[in-house]
């Protein structure tokens, strides 16, 4: 089923037709362990990608073209890299705070 999807504040959402345009969260990008490009043989799935999550689950999405898949995967990778940088900054701050507390 085709859905209008958006990336907002680190979340992947779709616009619900049944709920009069409400944004419904599909997943939080910060829970993604990795992104894999996939290719299925059935029509409409040639430009697919799969998000694999830390909990072992996964979701496969299909874009209409290679260019559209590239746009989505580039955005997702950017969000994942930003999340990694934020986590590293928090870890570094925690180490500094711990060192200060010991002083």
């Amino acid at each position: 089923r085709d859905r209008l999807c958006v990336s907002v504040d680190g979340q992947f959402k779709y616009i619900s037709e049944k709920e009069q345009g409400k944004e419904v969260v599909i997943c939080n990008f910060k829970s993604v362990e990795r992104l894999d490009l996939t290719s299925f043989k059935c029509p409409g799935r040639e430009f697919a990608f799969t998000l694999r999550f830390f909990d072992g689950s996964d979701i496969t999405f299909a874009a209409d073209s290679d260019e559209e898949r590239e746009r989505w995967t580039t955005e997702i990778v950017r969000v994942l890299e930003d999340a990694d940088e934020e986590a590293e900054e928090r870890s570094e701050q925690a180490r500094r705070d711990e060192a200060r507390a010991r002083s």
Side-chain angles (χ1 to χ4, degrees), residues 1 4 14-24:
R1 173 176 166 167
L4 174 61
Y14 72 89
I15 309 303
S16 174
E17 294 170 3
K18 290 181 183 176
E19 298 183 45
Q20 302 168 339
K22 177 182 174 189
E23 291 181 358
V24 178

Side-chain angles (χ1 to χ4, degrees), residues 29 35 49 51 72-81:
F29 288 134
L35 181 151
F49 60 95
L51 300 179
W72 274 109
T73 57
T74 297
E75 172 65 12
I76 293 167
V77 167
R78 184 191 64 74
V79 171
L80 295 176
E81 288 172 348

